[in-house]
Amino acid sequence: MPALVLFNRKWRIGSDDFVLPAAWSASIRCLVLIVAVTVYITEHSFHECPGGRILAIFMIGLAVLLSITILLEFFIAILSAQGSILNPGPRKFLPFVLYVRLAILLIEAVWSGVAAFWVFQEWSLDGDKRCDITIIRLVKTSLSLFWGLFFIALVVVWLLFGPSIKHEEELRERSGSHTARHLRGVAKANWKKRCQWLCCCAGKDDNLEAAYTEAAEILSQLFGTLDVVPSDVAAGFVLMQLEQQRRICRGESLAHHRFSLPSELLQRTSPLVDVIDPVVYYFKYSAAIYGWPFFMETNLCCGSCQLFPICRCFTCTGGTENDNCCQCNTAAVVKSLGVDEDDVIFLSFHNKIFEIPFMVVIDRERKTIVVAIRGSLSLKDALTDVTAEAERLDITGRTDIYAHRGMANTAKFVHNKIKELQLLEEAKRIEPDFEVVITGHSLGAGTAILTSMMLKEEWPEIKCYVYSSPFGLLNDEGVHFTKDFVISVVVGLDIIPRLSILTLNDLKDQIVEVMQHSPTPKYRILLGGCWYSICGLPKLVPNANVKSPLLGSPIKLIQEQQQQQHRRDASNVEDGSLDAHRTNNPEEIDGSDLSAARSIITPSPSEMRMNIELYPGGSILWIRDADEDRPKGWCEGPSGYRAQWATYKDFDHIVISPYIVRDHLPRTVQKVLSWMREHIEEVMQVTPTGV
């Protein structure tokens, strides 16, 4: 941070990212040099071979090039280790050293290319007994290995660290004739291109272009003006994890954004025993709708053997929409649930933007009609997830409820499909006394909550059990609407129930602040992060590093700029000269803190919708690690769990931990719920909320 500039282009790598790659490359070349020198000194047979003199010249030249390269790469590693993430000053000469390294690399390529041509084309040794065949094979293997590694390195550099935006073009965009809003537009266009590239195989979709635009709008608001590379983000996560652990040890709150909804009104007090059993039971539907991928994941050894007998190759019978030719998903659903195929009223694996697989099944054991909606399993689903603006939800008689736009559109699709095909009416004709239950996981959880709200008027007895639902789902009116019939289960430190535009913005600001307080080089931070992931955080977290005197605090800078702007606005109001559409010149803000401009620009309607506070829906049942306060590594699992009622206040911040993704996976949720079924007495403990 900032990104490295070479050949007038910005690359997705920083000047402090060369420490470990350069040291590793130099070490490998040291081994090659030792082998080459040893062979040259100890083996004299190749001097007697035809062309042996040329081979000797090649090996001498190779040794010289290796020696120069080793010294240069160790120098690059040392130079790249200087400074800190936000203090690139000591590394300012690194680009010039990289230019020299590139020139040496080209010389190496030419030297090895000529040698390869001579060895494989001109050096004929067939039948010559004076040459040791081992030497010949060693030379050919070495040349082949060099060229293989050379081309692999080129591909890796192009894919991972390829140029993103021409630096000169960005400088022109940041000229005085452009405003911060224009910068946002440039960032938005770049994010839209990235989304299109990632989803290049998504096919034609009526909603695809709108999804690209909305996803780019949100991503550009979050990350558009930050000059960071992927390794900066990883290092920031490590520093933030240490800072959060330090705050926990001091008994401080991890929350940063102060939401306005009073959480006390949402605290549920009913006994846990009333909900534990259905919560554990109905998850099997949320998992089964994932189809054969989840079935195979949970049955690695004999999953295919169990599915094969009930798959129906090259048939379209059974009433399933958009399954594959062998009906593998349908077979997995039937096998996972253990239901009769006739009880599957509807099963669809149709998947497009804002259109997601779901099923309607009659559960005779619990005497319910279950609607299960699938979670994210494709890039199309990911686009739905990031379309996170607030949109008014279409509920009869209510105009004050707003919801996550992507999930609201997906819920409309499910609701319209249920109404169009009269799926619940058909199930009710078969079993008129059965109640309706709707369930889902992740994206399916958010969609299930919104769908149940749409169905509530017609089916007032409906109940909703969801798992790992996202944080930014409903506004305060929607939360109050759902608290009595929706149970939302959160496992451990799952990141999705903590994820929203506001919490991401808060995390971004905190990471930038903690990076500015840390003078530690990035490579040491990343190595420490790997160690902490394996062995856990230390019991005594070291004190925060002293802030570098060369750097200011971006948070303070933003606040000072806002105060100055408010004073100017007040003065303009008194003079009657305030322009409602005013924007600020980005040159008034330091180049490294252009992200501050987002908070002092007149917001667009889209930005205003993104700033609406959205909360998780329903009553939240939080299943926590029984000894979560004890730092643990990735390989060390929890010894047990405890369940408690929670409110959104417990999830209004993102916790950095090795478990944030693992705790979201359906397999982890299934494992935790299975443990609860077996240890029901231990789970029945209501403990105070809060982290």
Side-chain angles (χ1 to χ4, degrees):
M1 191 179 191
L4 180 69
V5 178
L6 289 175
F7 303 107
N8 289 326
R9 298 176 73 89
K10 292 185 67 176
W11 294 69
R12 300 186 188 98
I13 187 172
S15 58
D16 50 358
D17 287 331
F18 292 89
V19 178
L20 300 179
W24 176 82
S25 177
S27 301
I28 296 297
R29 292 174 186 275
C30 282
L31 295 177
V32 176
L33 177 61
I34 292 172
V35 172
V37 172
T38 302
V39 169
Y40 183 84
I41 294 175
T42 59
E43 298 289 339
H44 301 284
S45 61
F46 72 89
H47 291 284
E48 302 175 0
C49 296
R53 184 176 179 181
I54 298 177
L55 180 59
I57 294 173
F58 164 73
M59 295 188 69
I60 293 173
L62 178 63
V64 172
L65 286 174
L66 284 173
S67 301
I68 296 173
T69 301
I70 290 168
L71 293 175
L72 195 58
E73 289 188 340
F74 275 126
F75 180 67
I76 290 173
I78 294 172
L79 184 59
S80 182
Q82 305 305 306
S84 63
I85 298 176
L86 296 180
N87 182 22
R91 305 187 296 272
K92 61 182 178 181
F93 296 111
L94 183 64
F96 302 101
V97 181
L98 292 177
Y99 287 134
V100 175
R101 176 65 187 94
L102 178 61
I104 299 297
L105 179 63
L106 294 177
I107 295 174
E108 277 187 298
V110 171
W111 188 260
S112 299
V114 172
F117 177 80
W118 175 70
V119 167
F120 288 98
Q121 298 292 330
E122 302 294 334
W123 199 16
S124 178
L125 301 173
D126 294 338
D128 198 317
K129 303 299 183 183
R130 293 174 295 171
C131 298
D132 187 352
I133 193 66
T134 304
I135 300 297
I136 300 171
R137 290 174 178 171
L138 180 63
V139 173
K140 291 185 176 182
T141 301
S142 301
L143 288 171
S144 301
L145 182 62
F146 170 81
W147 282 105
L149 293 176
F150 179 78
F151 284 113
I152 290 174
L154 287 180
V155 172
V156 170
V157 167
W158 180 256
L159 290 178
L160 298 182
F161 308 126
S164 56
I165 306 172
K166 287 187 177 180
H167 188 55
E168 291 182 350
E169 292 178 358
E170 187 176 22
L171 289 177
R172 286 197 295 270
E173 293 294 341
R174 294 188 180 188
S175 65
S177 61
H178 288 74
T179 65
R181 192 176 296 282
H182 287 91
L183 286 176
R184 179 73 58 75
V186 173
K188 180 179 176 181
N190 288 325
W191 277 109
K192 185 174 181 179
K193 290 179 182 177
R194 292 171 186 145
C195 291
Q196 291 172 334
W197 182 82
L198 284 173
C199 302
C200 59
C201 300
K204 295 183 179 180
D205 193 324
D206 296 336
N207 297 315
L208 201 56
E209 190 64 25
Y212 287 150
T213 302
E214 293 171 15
E217 177 73 33
I218 292 170
L219 292 171
S220 64
Q221 183 189 20
L222 289 171
F223 311 111
T225 54
L226 283 180
D227 189 6
V228 296
V229 295
S231 59
D232 293 334
V233 178
F237 282 158
V238 175
L239 290 173
M240 197 64 210
Q241 184 182 13
L242 289 172
E243 178 63 22
Q244 288 181 345
Q245 185 64 27
R246 193 178 296 113
R247 292 180 188 175
I248 291 173
C249 293
R250 294 198 299 256
E252 299 177 5
S253 172
L254 300 184
H256 186 69
H257 184 91
R258 301 304 178 212
F259 290 86
S260 59
L261 179 62
S263 62
E264 297 79 10
L265 302 177
L266 305 175
Q267 183 72 51
R268 188 158 178 162
T269 58
S270 59
L272 287 174
V273 68
D274 296 340
V275 298
I276 289 293
D277 181 60
V279 157
V280 173
Y281 180 80
Y282 285 108
F283 179 73
K284 68 178 184 179
Y285 288 93
S286 298
I289 190 58
Y290 279 99
W292 70 264
F294 179 78
F295 186 86
M296 294 299 298
E297 181 188 4
T298 53
N299 298 273
L300 291 176
C301 297
C302 50
S304 56
C305 299
Q306 295 180 42
L307 285 185
F308 181 76
I310 56 177
C311 286
R312 297 166 295 184
C313 292
F314 303 102
T315 180
C316 297
T317 61
T320 302
E321 289 188 2
N322 295 93
D323 199 354
N324 55 36
C325 63
C326 296
Q327 302 282 296
C328 294
N329 289 304
T330 303
V333 168
V334 173
K335 188 69 176 179
S336 298
L337 298 178
V339 298
D340 191 285
E341 194 169 346
D342 293 335
D343 288 334
V344 180
I345 303 300
F346 178 80
L347 180 57
S348 171
F349 291 96
H350 169 79
N351 191 200
K352 296 174 71 175
I353 303 294
F354 308 143
E355 299 176 9
I356 201 164
F358 73 100
M359 65 179 173
V360 179
V361 181
I362 295 177
D363 186 322
R364 300 189 181 279
E365 180 181 345
R366 295 297 174 103
K367 297 183 178 180
T368 53
I369 300 166
V370 182
V371 180
I373 304 174
R374 199 193 72 184
S376 300
L377 199 62
S378 68
L379 289 174
K380 297 175 183 179
D381 299 333
L383 281 174
T384 301
D385 290 325
V386 298
T387 309
E389 295 180 2
E391 178 176 274
R392 183 181 289 110
L393 194 62
D394 186 14
I395 298 179
T396 305
R398 299 295 296 264
T399 60
D400 56 346
I401 296 179
Y402 286 80
H404 180 292
R405 183 171 185 176
M407 296 182 191
N409 289 333
T410 307
K412 290 177 187 176
F413 164 77
V414 175
H415 177 259
N416 292 339
K417 198 77 170 179
I418 290 175
K419 298 292 291 182
E420 176 187 345
L421 301 179
Q422 295 188 335
L423 299 176
L424 295 182
E425 288 81 358
E426 180 181 349
K428 280 285 189 177
R429 282 195 294 269
I430 300 174
E431 295 294 345
D433 297 329
F434 284 16
E435 294 184 346
V436 178
V437 171
I438 187 166
T439 185
H441 171 265
S442 188
L443 168 62
T447 304
I449 293 174
L450 302 183
T451 304
S452 66
M453 296 170 69
M454 297 177 181
L455 294 170
K456 181 66 174 174
E457 183 180 18
E458 185 175 359
W459 309 97
E461 82 284 1
I462 193 170
K463 291 183 175 61
C464 183
Y465 300 100
V466 295
Y467 311 85
S468 307
S469 176
F471 184 95
L473 181 65
L474 287 165
N475 68 341
D476 52 354
E477 297 295 337
V479 174
H480 286 291
F481 185 90
T482 59
K483 67 177 183 178
D484 293 328
F485 67 94
V486 174
I487 303 296
S488 178
V489 179
V490 178
V491 172
L493 299 176
D494 185 353
I495 188 174
I496 299 302
R498 304 171 182 271
L499 206 59
S500 71
I501 294 176
L502 294 178
T503 56
L504 273 176
N505 262 320
D506 296 339
L507 180 66
K508 178 188 68 175
D509 291 340
Q510 291 180 75
I511 286 178
V512 172
E513 186 173 22
V514 77
M515 284 196 298
Q516 287 209 328
H517 283 73
S518 174
T520 308
K522 188 194 296 183
Y523 79 95
R524 289 178 56 189
I525 296 173
L526 295 177
L527 288 176
C530 294
W531 176 261
Y532 298 146
S533 296
I534 297 172
C535 301
L537 291 171
K539 293 183 179 180
L540 296 177
V541 181
N543 292 327
N545 292 313
V546 179
K547 183 175 68 174
S548 171
L550 300 177
L551 301 171
S553 169
I555 306 300
K556 291 182 179 179
L557 177 63
I558 293 174
Q559 294 173 346
E560 291 172 0
Q561 291 167 345
Q562 288 176 330
Q563 293 172 0
Q564 293 173 4
Q565 187 60 47
H566 291 328
R567 287 194 292 269
R568 287 197 295 268
D569 288 348
S571 176
N572 289 335
V573 168
E574 293 176 358
D575 298 339
S577 59
L578 182 63
D579 180 5
H581 300 284
R582 166 194 47 78
T583 54
N584 295 80
N585 190 332
E587 288 190 337
E588 295 177 3
I589 305 173
D590 183 75
S592 64
D593 295 294
L594 280 172
S595 60
R598 64 175 173 82
S599 59
I600 56 176
I601 302 173
T602 303
S604 66
S606 176
E607 291 168 344
M608 292 177 66
R609 289 195 300 271
M610 282 188 280
N611 290 327
I612 294 177
E613 291 185 353
L614 297 179
Y615 305 89
S619 298
I620 304 174
L621 177 61
W622 189 10
I623 305 173
R624 307 171 63 179
D625 183 354
D627 55 349
E628 64 182 15
D629 294 334
R630 181 173 61 86
K632 296 182 289 295
W634 174 262
C635 300
E636 186 179 0
S639 58
Y641 302 92
R642 68 179 189 268
Q644 67 180 74
W645 291 117
T647 71
Y648 81 89
K649 285 288 188 182
D650 298 298
F651 307 99
D652 62 357
H653 56 278
I654 296 175
V655 177
I656 306 301
S657 165
Y659 303 122
I660 58 177
V661 174
R662 191 189 72 177
D663 285 350
H664 180 72
L665 299 177
R667 186 172 184 177
T668 302
V669 179
Q670 183 185 56
K671 178 182 176 182
V672 171
L673 293 176
S674 298
W675 187 94
M676 290 177 63
R677 181 188 293 111
E678 297 170 2
H679 303 80
I680 193 69
E681 296 297 333
E682 299 177 35
V683 173
M684 295 305 162
Q685 302 175 29
V686 180
T687 55
T689 61
V691 175

